[in-house]
Amino acid sequence: IGQEIHQLATQLWPICRSLTGNGVRETFTVLGEHLPGLKLYEVPTGSQVFDWTVPQEWNIIDAYIKDSNGKKIVDFNDSNLHVVGYSTPIHQTMSLEQLKPHLYSVPNQPDAIPYVTSYYSKHWGFCLTQHKKDNLKEKQYIVKIDSEFIKGSLDYGELVVHGKTKKEILFSTYICHPSMANDNLSGLLLTAFLARDMLRHRQLEKSWRFIFE
């Protein structure tokens, strides 16, 4: 089973997931191949959920920082962590001084790319290693984020394995973080394979409800 878990992890790892968007739906397409009976639900943009309003759907196509020679310094295609989640679109040429307020790194982990989001404020930015940030020269840079905000939906999945009684055991996992093994994929994979195992049991006392959100 370890090989199966690792294989699914390699499928899900590169998908750019966020609160909403195509990456979430792509993730559910992959999960659905492993979990028969997984039901998907959509909550439209603007819906009020307790004290929270479902935001606009965010999708990203490409993003990079190029130097004046056209060399890509930061590339979304190398790691989707390079772009601040929910970044607004931009395509400009700017100085290093103008660019720096939009760069995020972790000084005490110089080889790490941080995960940064801006769900509820209009902002754009890039995440990179501290080493790469320290090596940026005083020159002009071409900055591009090809993203869009649309009136769409928030998607979540549910799988219920019915037992003999109405009592339930609830498992909930979030799927909105991209390319992080410990802070997303580990919980997602554990929940998925536990759900698959429960589907094979036919004499459960309680029902098991699995939520992927």
Side-chain angles (χ1 to χ4, degrees), residues 65 67 73-74 96 99-100 103 128-139 141:
I65 300 174
D67 64 17
I73 307 300
V74 177
L96 180 58
L99 178 59
K100 273 189 173 180
L103 299 180
L128 68 170
T129 66
Q130 187 65 42
H131 283 317
K132 184 167 286 189
K133 185 177 179 180
D134 291 340
N135 288 325
L136 293 175
K137 307 300 182 183
E138 293 289 346
K139 58 173 67 173
Y141 292 90

Side-chain angles (χ1 to χ4, degrees), residues 4-47:
E4 291 183 82
I5 293 173
H6 186 268
Q7 183 179 3
L8 181 56
T10 59
Q11 285 182 271
L12 296 176
W13 172 271
I15 300 174
C16 185
R17 288 179 294 276
S18 188
L19 291 179
T20 63
N22 295 329
V24 174
R25 286 185 281 270
E26 184 180 353
T27 298
F28 279 129
T29 297
V30 175
L31 281 179
E33 296 171 357
H34 296 263
L35 294 175
L38 179 66
K39 294 183 178 180
L40 304 183
Y41 299 90
E42 295 185 346
V43 183
T45 297
S47 298

Side-chain angles (χ1 to χ4, degrees), residues 141-155:
Y141 292 90
I142 302 167
V143 177
K144 181 176 182 179
I145 298 177
D146 186 3
S147 63
E148 65 173 1
F149 293 84
I150 62 173
K151 187 175 181 180
S153 63
L154 178 147
D155 301 76

Side-chain angles (χ1 to χ4, degrees), residues 16-111:
C16 185
R17 288 179 294 276
S18 188
L19 291 179
T20 63
N22 295 329
V24 174
R25 286 185 281 270
E26 184 180 353
T27 298
F28 279 129
T29 297
V30 175
L31 281 179
E33 296 171 357
H34 296 263
L35 294 175
L38 179 66
K39 294 183 178 180
L40 304 183
Y41 299 90
E42 295 185 346
V43 183
T45 297
S47 298
Q48 194 71 28
V49 183
F50 298 106
D51 62 346
W52 185 63
T53 302
V54 175
Q56 285 185 299
E57 187 173 315
W58 179 72
N59 292 300
I60 182 167
I61 300 169
D62 194 15
Y64 57 77
I65 300 174
K66 287 183 180 179
D67 64 17
S68 54
N69 296 320
K71 179 183 177 181
K72 287 187 178 180
I73 307 300
V74 177
D75 189 353
F76 168 77
N77 292 296
D78 291 337
S79 172
N80 49 49
L81 292 179
H82 274 313
V83 177
V84 170
Y86 263 66
S87 279
T88 55
I90 185 173
H91 192 185
Q92 291 183 16
T93 299
M94 61 184 66
S95 66
L96 180 58
E97 182 180 4
Q98 293 171 306
L99 178 59
K100 273 189 173 180
H102 297 272
L103 299 180
Y104 299 88
S105 58
V106 185
N108 63 348
Q109 297 183 51
D111 296 315

